[in-house]
Amino acid sequence: LRLWRRRGALVCVLLALAVLTAMYYIEGTHQQYVRYMEKKFFWCAYWVGLGILSSVGLGTGLHTFLLYLGPHIASVTLAAYECNSVNFPEPPYPDQIICPDEETTEGSISLWAIISKVRLEACMWGAGTAIGELPPYFMARAARLSGAEPDDEEYQEFEEMLEHAETAQDFASRAKLAVQNLVQKVGFFGILACASIPNPLFDLAGITCGHFLVPFWTFFGATLIGKAVIKMHIQKLFVIITFSKHIVEQMVALIGAIPSIGPSLQKPFQEYLEAQRIKLHHKSDSAVPQGENWLSWIFEKLVIVMVCYFILSIINSMAQSYAKRLQQKMYSEEKTK
């Protein structure tokens, strides 16, 4: 019935899809633009998907940043200072970074140029994290409207927190109450403030907004602006400044200043950075000398360990939820006897 009432909009959407499908399959000079848009679409979808996974599947929105977006921004930063340009040839960028053929003057790269180069990826990842905050909001909103108790630990903890708000003494409970009060009383700007800083308690803001029936666009609009624009620029600036050429060189020099073990630790870092510089100045079709570096080997193993830890933590959380449901079921059966 809803589709029939909006049949005009539905027909327009179907016509637009038909036109796009025809443009995609019909050969012509427009195909270069179609392929460009297709590539951009899948590139954006990739980062949005990682952002959603970071919020929904892996907790605080930090893990896929450390595993994917952070290293991508760092590699672009190191390459930009080495090449004195961000006009990397496409392809192979973004799969591989190669310095452009154009001659550039030393020190011509600016911080703003690097920010602009990685803005699309960062904003798409931030938008994904904002979308990932919607399930707690919809769950709490549905529970409030229907009056039913959802089988969700976070929502049950939220209700317990509201019941014992006056007697809360520990720091964690006070922090959660502060977030809840800020979101409830300030509204749009309170949600924006919570979403604009790295905040592991933001899931509580989604539950709070759903429980107190905050309008969808107020919650999602503030979350999207906070996470995809403000927070992402803060995180992006931190990574770019950390991996700037002079700071990296200072860090390597400080490693060498460590007594006894400093020079032995400094050598692999210098070899790794030199190998990356050589790689940036080789064309994709030329032979690049491949050398094994224990630093990259350790980083690869660290990533594998982190992924395994995330999987185990998810399995452990599911097992705890299942055990809790079994205990509640046994307790209710004993009460009915």
Side-chain angles (χ1 to χ4, degrees):
L1 286 174
R2 287 183 179 179
L3 288 175
W4 179 250
R5 288 173 189 152
R6 295 171 176 81
R7 54 188 177 273
L10 181 63
V11 169
C12 291
V13 170
L14 292 175
L15 284 174
L17 287 174
V19 170
L20 290 173
T21 305
M23 289 175 63
Y24 185 80
Y25 286 105
I26 295 173
E27 295 296 330
T29 55
H30 66 280
Q31 282 298 322
Q32 57 179 329
Y33 304 107
V34 171
R35 296 291 172 248
Y36 175 80
M37 293 303 296
E38 181 185 20
K39 182 183 176 182
K40 284 294 182 184
F41 173 79
F42 283 113
W43 182 241
C44 293
Y46 171 75
W47 289 111
V48 169
L50 284 176
I52 293 172
L53 283 176
S54 199
S55 288
V56 175
L58 302 178
T60 63
L62 183 65
H63 307 125
T64 57
F65 181 86
L66 287 178
L67 289 173
Y68 296 98
L69 185 59
H72 173 72
I73 296 173
S75 62
V76 170
T77 303
L78 292 172
Y81 281 107
E82 176 63 26
C83 305
N84 290 312
S85 174
V86 291
N87 298 320
F88 312 126
E90 298 187 19
Y93 183 82
D95 299 322
Q96 185 183 359
I97 300 177
I98 300 293
C99 286
D101 293 328
E102 60 192 35
E103 293 292 331
T104 53
T105 56
E106 184 72 24
S108 61
I109 194 68
S110 66
L111 185 68
W112 183 253
I114 303 173
I115 290 173
S116 301
K117 186 68 175 177
V118 295
R119 181 179 288 120
L120 178 65
E121 297 92 316
C123 289
M124 289 298 106
W125 187 87
T129 60
I131 295 170
E133 300 294 349
L134 292 179
Y137 169 82
F138 284 122
M139 178 269 300
R141 184 181 178 86
R144 180 66 184 273
L145 291 173
S146 64
E149 286 291 330
D151 186 17
D152 184 84
E153 289 184 13
E154 288 185 350
Y155 188 75
Q156 291 169 3
E157 289 176 4
F158 171 75
E159 289 197 322
E160 289 175 6
M161 184 193 70
L162 291 180
E163 290 175 4
H164 304 94
E166 295 180 359
T167 58
Q169 297 294 329
D170 58 300
F171 176 77
S173 298
R174 288 181 176 179
K176 291 178 180 179
L177 282 170
V179 171
Q180 183 254 323
N181 290 328
L182 181 66
V183 169
Q184 184 186 356
K185 293 178 180 178
V186 184
F188 179 90
F189 293 102
I191 302 166
L192 183 65
C194 290
S196 299
I197 56 173
N199 183 8
L201 301 176
F202 191 77
D203 278 347
L204 191 66
I207 294 175
T208 301
C209 291
H211 181 79
F212 291 105
L213 304 179
V214 173
F216 171 76
W217 287 111
T218 300
F219 169 71
F220 185 65
T223 305
L224 187 64
I225 295 170
K227 286 184 172 287
V229 180
I230 302 173
K231 179 184 171 185
M232 274 319 306
H233 276 82
I234 295 171
Q235 291 177 304
K236 191 165 47 172
L237 272 171
F238 175 78
V239 174
I240 292 172
I241 292 171
T242 303
F243 285 89
S244 297
K245 187 177 181 180
H246 62 285
I247 294 181
V248 171
E249 289 173 351
Q250 288 175 3
M251 288 170 62
V252 174
L254 286 173
I255 291 171
I258 299 173
S260 302
I261 61 171
S264 58
L265 284 175
Q266 187 184 39
K267 186 178 178 182
F269 279 95
Q270 289 176 331
E271 290 176 352
Y272 178 76
L273 290 172
E274 186 60 31
Q276 294 304 309
R277 290 192 186 102
I278 294 170
K279 190 176 179 181
L280 288 170
H281 292 287
H282 276 75
K283 302 306 173 190
S284 56
D285 56 349
S286 62
V288 180
Q290 297 292 332
E292 185 66 27
N293 184 283
W294 68 267
L295 197 64
S296 58
W297 183 86
I298 288 175
F299 181 74
E300 289 173 2
K301 299 303 178 282
L302 180 64
V303 169
I304 292 171
V305 169
M306 289 176 71
V307 171
C308 292
Y309 171 75
F310 297 149
I311 294 171
L312 288 174
S313 66
I314 291 168
I315 295 171
N316 185 48
S317 178
M318 292 171 66
Q320 288 178 345
S321 299
Y322 180 69
K324 188 175 181 180
R325 286 197 299 270
L326 285 179
Q327 289 175 355
Q328 289 175 346
K329 185 178 179 181
M330 290 172 62
Y331 178 72
S332 61
E333 287 176 353
E334 288 177 359
K335 284 183 70 178
T336 55
K337 287 182 180 179

